[in-house]
Amino acid sequence: MIKKIILLLTIFITSFTYAQQVKIAGKVLNYQKQPLENVSVSQLHSRNGVMTNARGEYLISVSSGDSVRLVFSLLGYNQHQYILPRLEKNIELDVILEEDNRELNVVTVEGQRTVTAVIERIDYLATKRASSPWGSLESLLVTMGGVSTNNELSSQYSVRGGNFDENIVYVNGLEIYRPLLVRSAQQEGLSFINPNMIKSVGFSAGGYSAEYGDKMSSVLDITYRKPEKSEGSASTSFLGGDVHVGNSSGRFSQITGIRYKTIRSLMNTTDTKAEFDPSFFDIQSFMAYNLSSKWEVNFLGNYSHNLYKYTPRTRNTSFGTLNMLRNFTVYFDGQEKDKFLTYQAALTLKGRVNNNLNIGITGSTFASDEQERYDIEGRYLLKEFDESGIGVTDDSSVLGIGTYMEHARNKVESEVYTFTHFGDFKVDSHLLKWGLTYQREIIKDKIKEWEMRDSAGYSLPNTGIDVNMYSNLKSDNHINSSRFSGFLQDTYRLKTEKGLFILNAGFRAAYWTFNEEFIFSPRGALAFVPEGMDNLSVRLAGGIYYQAPFYKEFQRIVNVGGNNIIELNKDIKSQKSIHIILGGDYYFRGKDQGTSPFKLSGELYYKNMSDLIPYTVNNVKIRYSGENSAKGYVMGLNLKLYGEFIPGADSWISFGLMKAQQDIEGIKVPLPTDQRYNFALFFQDYFPGYERLRMSLRGLLSHGLPVSAPYKGYENGYFRTPAYKRVDIGFSWQILGEDFAIRNKNSFCKAFKNIWLGLDVFNIFDMQNTNTYYWVSDVYNQQYAVPNYLTGRQLNVKLMAEF
């Protein structure tokens, strides 16, 4: 069926005739006549856009015969818009952009060249075209060098051997927190980041500057935009829908987004047949008010309401090799009901004291109410198949038979209050930045969960005397602590006969009252662009990075009278990682010198880690040992080829090699996120002359992750899951645009700027990927690992409208 659909789409696409194209080319400079890289050059109210290269050059193709509006925008500069009359031939257009002194949260105020910065700019507009189950920014992020995922249902990602908790995410300077109770990706709900509200995206996989907080792996820096006029969009699909509106009137501007997500159709492609009744909803708003020409107050708010109801019925999983086939059948009774409510808000006052000094203060709060309740009973049968795939008829084919019962009544309440002062001062070739933060954390939990297993009439584990629980966990803890932190950094720019040098150096310091620990984190980066070789740059970055514990890391399980009790370890220390990164970028063009340049980026990295807290991963649940009992290292290579194979459509290929090792009390084992190789592809295309029809392709291939038996660490033995492999493809067709004649004839159509109709095929090759394993034990306590497969092939239809 899928092959027939693809064949019909191909015939349908190739039946269109091409329209004549004209080219607009030129350079974008600042007032010092210096070229500006990564300036967005886009055609207004369309998805046609390009980025300038290292020399500030751009080339964009547009349809002839109509007037064209081109928008030039770059973070830290005023946006410029040009209206060009009816175009009949190629033209040249050079542009000068003026710095916007009102922007205070610019990552790099001077230069604006990603080749000299550790922070990489990401084409967030591609998230609307990327084919993935959620169309989220994270689904695009996992195609970047050093970033990987092994679960398409989750928005979490791993960066260079780090786990999900080691990534820090900011939205308009506000740190975003993850729920603490989530066990599986199906419970996650929506990512905090709303793609409809994004202005810019910055990402670093290591070696980032002191202004970013205490995490060991990566930083994702999001800036929401302030609309300059009325805007809006709405979309709907089999997986949910969203709507956003924005406007600007005088001194006030606001942008608000509402989203809803469901996973019913995706979960129907798994081995478990169940009644899914999820409800994932959130609303966000960013408002700004200019008190004067120099001072501004803004507010960012988010409310998320996620309900997850799950009533399993049956499960039938076949697995193994051709010579060792197995079948696992389960009949369920019971249900699961979970609730995850989160609130986050920030109020910021910032202003320009003079042309060189900017200051600001922010007060923010985060609160969550998480509840997990389930009582699920399963009666299972594990049988052996013969080579024909038919079950053996005699009793010897039965490998395991029994019943299990899972019960939980878990609740976590979190409150985080933060007050921050920040500022920057520009003098000569220096840019000084600083920040001071006070944070109060109040967390309460009540955990009560257990699992009972009965195999052939015996309770496991079988002692021959008592009836025992297979596992149990109990907690009743409360923490009320404070953190003090601050940073100071300087960015210095030096132009010499040898070339351009940019040095960023600084430090962070923090103190936590819970364990009375003080940490000091120096960081630095040096970039160099040789004179006369603007297409080449090299950079060296490094520093000391700490992972300050946040509740889960210092939960230690102790056995009291046969019961597992969670206690809080007050002697816990921050995990420590020393980063060393050597990277470079090289720009080049293809045989056609008129095409946009390609960029080849590469980074070698090494991370030496100490005071590690060993952990295991099950789905998206990370369980820490609560002790600083390990050390380790991560080293690897990342390569990325980026370019516009078709003007206005960004594409890239990334490849990585990595080894992540840990030493747990003398036993050397891989880190749970150790992946020896990782390959990702993101490709966009449209039919020349018919840009209304576009395609996006996302492919992932990564090494399997280490897996250990339940309630045992990797030091007690492990094996790897099969490689994760997946290809998603999406098509979008513009059925209405601003230049369509019907808009002037029909009042309903005139209300919309653009309307797109999309078709996605997720996991187009229907590849089976293993996320975790369910472990079945017989009466002799011999364990069998039954794979929990992820989603199969799935079609999705979506409709998007902009107004």
Side-chain angles (χ1 to χ4, degrees), residues 171-406:
V171 174
N172 285 21
L174 176 66
E175 182 178 352
I176 308 303
Y177 296 92
R178 296 179 61 227
L180 299 174
L181 265 186
V182 170
R183 292 179 299 111
S184 65
Q186 297 94 306
Q187 300 171 311
E188 268 190 9
L190 290 154
S191 161
F192 182 96
I193 303 165
N194 189 330
N196 292 322
M197 302 171 64
I198 293 177
K199 175 184 178 180
S200 65
V201 179
F203 176 74
S204 174
Y208 37 90
S209 59
E211 63 185 302
Y212 298 112
D214 296 309
K215 298 286 186 178
M216 290 200 302
S217 288
S218 74
V219 58
L220 180 62
D221 190 5
I222 310 292
T223 301
Y224 280 173
R225 68 179 180 274
K226 293 179 286 186
E228 298 182 353
K229 60 181 180 179
S230 297
E231 64 175 67
S233 71
S235 70
T236 183
S237 74
F238 293 160
L239 300 177
D242 61 70
V243 61
H244 98 275
V245 293
N247 70 283
S248 177
S249 56
R251 296 183 175 184
F252 177 77
S253 67
Q254 70 83 28
I255 185 169
T256 301
I258 300 175
R259 295 179 294 169
Y260 171 79
K261 186 179 88 171
T262 180
I263 60 174
R264 288 189 186 94
S265 61
L266 278 175
M267 297 309 298
N268 287 335
T269 64
T270 63
D271 289 341
T272 300
K273 305 307 176 185
E275 295 179 10
F276 292 96
D277 187 19
S279 176
F280 304 134
F281 166 86
D282 85 334
I283 179 172
Q284 295 186 42
S285 185
F286 176 53
M287 306 177 186
Y289 182 77
N290 294 323
L291 300 173
S292 67
S293 60
K294 295 184 178 181
W295 290 89
E296 172 193 301
V297 60
N298 63 58
F299 170 82
L300 175 63
N302 172 78
Y303 169 71
S304 176
H305 184 278
N306 297 329
L307 298 179
Y308 178 72
K309 296 181 182 179
Y310 169 60
T311 307
R313 299 303 183 194
T314 62
R315 169 181 174 173
N316 191 288
T317 302
S318 297
F319 63 100
T321 64
L322 183 62
N323 298 323
M324 192 178 294
L325 297 175
R326 301 284 188 266
N327 180 262
F328 182 62
T329 303
V330 188
Y331 298 93
F332 296 100
D333 188 22
Q335 64 178 347
E336 177 177 354
K337 292 184 178 180
D338 305 326
K339 180 176 70 172
F340 302 93
L341 304 181
T342 59
Y343 318 80
Q344 196 153 2
L347 185 65
T348 300
L349 173 66
K350 60 182 181 180
R352 176 161 49 94
V353 179
N354 54 48
N355 291 333
N356 296 322
L357 176 63
N358 300 306
I359 60 173
I361 55 173
T362 297
S364 65
T365 179
F366 166 80
S368 71
D369 181 4
E370 306 173 39
Q371 299 179 29
E372 185 181 45
R373 301 168 61 90
Y374 56 82
D375 290 282
I376 297 178
E377 179 185 6
R379 297 177 296 279
Y380 64 84
L381 174 66
L382 179 63
K383 296 189 67 175
E384 183 179 9
F385 275 8
D386 61 20
E387 294 182 0
S388 66
I390 302 175
V392 181
T393 56
D394 56 44
D395 292 339
S396 64
S397 68
V398 177
L399 301 176
I401 184 171
T403 302
Y404 67 86
M405 178 74 180
E406 296 177 339

Side-chain angles (χ1 to χ4, degrees), residues 52 83 213 253 294 488 633 656 752 789:
T52 58
I83 302 176
S253 67
K294 295 184 178 181
L488 176 65
Y633 68 88
F752 299 93
Y789 293 123

Side-chain angles (χ1 to χ4, degrees), residues 120-189:
E120 177 184 7
R121 296 297 173 190
I122 297 175
D123 178 18
Y124 70 91
L125 291 175
T127 60
K128 295 184 178 181
R129 302 186 291 271
S131 180
S132 69
W134 314 129
S136 64
L137 177 65
E138 291 86 350
S139 65
L140 195 69
L141 191 64
V142 297
T143 63
M144 300 293 168
V147 188
S148 63
T149 181
N150 282 68
N151 192 337
E152 65 271 7
L153 293 172
S154 172
S155 61
Q156 304 305 321
Y157 52 91
S158 173
V159 180
R160 292 180 177 173
N163 67 39
F164 313 141
D165 294 333
E166 296 175 21
N167 305 315
I168 192 167
V169 179
Y170 291 101
V171 174
N172 285 21
L174 176 66
E175 182 178 352
I176 308 303
Y177 296 92
R178 296 179 61 227
L180 299 174
L181 265 186
V182 170
R183 292 179 299 111
S184 65
Q186 297 94 306
Q187 300 171 311
E188 268 190 9

Side-chain angles (χ1 to χ4, degrees), residues 657-773:
L657 297 172
M658 181 185 72
K659 183 178 182 181
Q661 193 86 2
Q662 61 179 334
D663 185 325
I664 306 176
E665 297 180 341
I667 302 176
K668 295 181 179 180
V669 293
L671 281 165
T673 51
D674 177 49
Q675 289 179 305
R676 298 302 170 90
Y677 62 86
N678 186 50
F679 174 83
L681 163 70
F682 181 69
F683 179 73
Q684 298 182 92
D685 199 358
Y686 61 79
F687 274 70
Y690 198 80
E691 299 178 14
R692 293 169 54 192
L693 192 57
R694 299 203 173 197
M695 180 275 290
S696 64
L697 178 73
R698 189 187 74 147
L700 302 172
L701 173 63
S702 55
H703 193 208
L705 294 172
V707 176
S708 66
Y711 313 109
K712 296 181 180 179
Y714 299 95
E715 64 272 24
N716 295 310
Y718 69 91
F719 65 97
R720 288 184 181 270
T721 63
Y724 181 83
K725 44 195 179 298
R726 182 182 177 92
V727 178
D728 302 316
I729 190 170
F731 301 91
S732 56
W733 178 41
Q734 186 182 23
I735 58 179
L736 181 68
E738 278 197 312
D739 57 346
F740 285 37
I742 192 175
R743 292 188 72 253
N744 299 323
K745 301 177 181 178
N746 187 295
S747 58
F748 175 79
C749 294
K750 196 172 184 179
F752 299 93
K753 295 178 181 177
N754 297 285
I755 298 180
W756 293 81
L757 180 64
L759 172 66
D760 297 322
V761 186
F762 305 134
N763 196 3
I764 187 172
F765 299 116
D766 202 21
M767 298 175 180
Q768 276 192 330
N769 290 304
T770 301
N771 179 28
T772 57
Y773 291 87

